[in-house]
Amino acid sequence: MPRRYSSAVVLGASMSGLLAVRALSGHFERITVVERDVLPEGDEVRKGVPQAAHAHGLLVSGYRVMDEYFPGMMDKLEALGAPVGDIVGDFLWFQYGRWKLRHDSGLRGITVSRPCLEAAIRGRIKALRNVTFVEGADGVRPTFDAATGRVTGFIVRPRDRSVQETLDADLVVDASGRGSQSPKWLEESGFGRPEEIAVKVNVGYATRIFERRPGDLFNSMGGIVSGTPPAGTRAGGVLAAERNRWVVTLGGIVGDYPPTNEEAWVAFAASLPVSAVRELVTSARPLTDIVSFRFPANQRRLYERMKRFPSGYLVTGDAVCSFNPIYGQGMSVAAIEAKALDDSLATGLDGLWPRFYTQARKIVDIAWAIATGEDLRFPQVEGQRPPGSRLLNRYLERVHAVASEDQTVCKKFFDVLNLLAPPSSLMSPRVAWRVLARAAPNGEGSPWGVMRPGSVPSGPSKP
Ligand SMILES: Cc1cc2nc3c(=O)[nH]c(=O)nc-3n(C[C@H](O)[C@H](O)[C@H](O)COP(=O)(O)OP(=O)(O)OC[C@H]3O[C@@H](n4cnc5c(N)ncnc54)[C@H](O)[C@@H]3O)c2cc1C
């Protein structure tokens, strides 16, 4: 297909920037990616993306977009030892006091370290002939035509030179993350600022990488163990990664930050509601020190509500909305936004931003509702509780309980969690009937569900 537009600039070469470039690559003759860091050859954690040291779950929705955009990439990651499998059948989920029913859900996904996934995508993007990377360069600001309000380019300052240069562009995409300067740039250029909302959560992460041995953690791809709100402020995430490793992240909400001192970190793991994480971290060989991260608040910028917006300018990824990382949504939302960008470009550059935001907003709305809905269960989290939220929360607690025994309810729960179905689908008559008619189960259930030792179809025991 001939490419219809001349040049685009993408600011930021992290997950949302790379995925946006992939979306643009079929539409633009030249795409320039501006990135502050000098990008590593391999899968190192770099300064601009410090969160990459921590467990990054990829939702099935994100997996599907990446698998479609980069054919064969998931197989290559699997060959490096990152397990591909059923995210319900091959994974352990302990939430709301019970194990989710482990069964073949058909929801295929991967567990892989964040730097390895980003490096694989970066490699694919660098191989595209119409893409150039300008690394070690600060994005200074976009330029606009004052008369038409259209983007004309983007000013960059390479770190090794004192002079700035302007890159011409028909489209500029800001994928520079949570600290994006777009609100300031748009205001300075006379377009006004987007309204901003935040839900403070004070989440802390502390992560260590361990050696992964066959048979660890019920031979699964990993597990999530979380406490029950409002008292249970702690969670542990264990994700199998390439090269026989486990990425183990302990997290706490509302200021219950996990420590970085080894003994206290293990004690934090031991305080989780079941012993699986503690057993792993006290038996496996640690490969790194413990590193920490603090995440203050869910943050959303409502660009879709702006009265005036420059044509040829877009904002995507964490720069629009950054979610409490506990729900593992950011990379997948960025992937779905890239698809929205791709679709929106099919009908031209004119009117791109309302078309893009109308689509992107739908997925951001859902992910925001899931993340903040769960966060607002903690009384310490400030924010407007929607009317009926107590009743809804009680219903969702039943969903969690029934999902430990009923495959239909369990599958629907994971469809929603993976942004494949809207939360309202948990209230459909087919699901609601099963949720309400079934007696609430007792006890914590079993990490095996309907799976039996040896029945795991693929997983971490593969080299
Ligand atoms: C602790 C933690 C854990 C997380 N866990 C998960 C998870 O489990 N699953 C998940 O899907 N998501 C997770 N996320 C979210 C995920 O990391 C982000 O959603 C994802 O990286 C997409 O962000 P982004 O590309 O929009 O921005 P970022 O990843 O923040 O990248 C921004 C990029 O822009 C560059 N940049 C910034 N400003 C400039 C400038 N002026 N000039 C040039 N370059 C610039 C930076 O160097 C960087 O490369 C987590 C986040 C945190 C904080």
Side-chain angles (χ1 to χ4, degrees), residues 12 14 16 35-36 46 51 56-57 114 139 176-177 318 325 328 330-331:
S14 174
S16 59
E35 169 55 51
R36 189 178 271 161
R46 60 187 173 87
Q51 74 267 30
H56 265 63
R114 163 65 195 255
S176 64
D318 281 19
M331 299 190 296

Side-chain angles (χ1 to χ4, degrees), residues 135-157:
E135 300 176 27
D138 280 324
V140 177
R141 65 176 171 85
T143 55
F144 303 102
D145 179 307
T148 59
R150 171 170 277 287
V151 140
T152 53
F154 198 85
I155 303 176
V156 299
R157 188 190 306 114

Side-chain angles (χ1 to χ4, degrees), residues 34-76:
V34 178
E35 169 55 51
R36 189 178 271 161
D37 284 351
V38 174
L39 297 165
E41 281 301 312
D43 55 359
E44 291 137 50
V45 176
R46 60 187 173 87
K47 196 169 165 221
V49 189
Q51 74 267 30
H54 302 273
H56 265 63
L58 179 63
L59 302 181
V60 176
S61 49
Y63 173 90
R64 287 182 184 170
V65 173
M66 292 180 194
D67 197 30
E68 179 195 329
Y69 268 168
F70 309 107
M73 181 182 80
M74 296 301 176
D75 295 340
K76 287 219 165 120

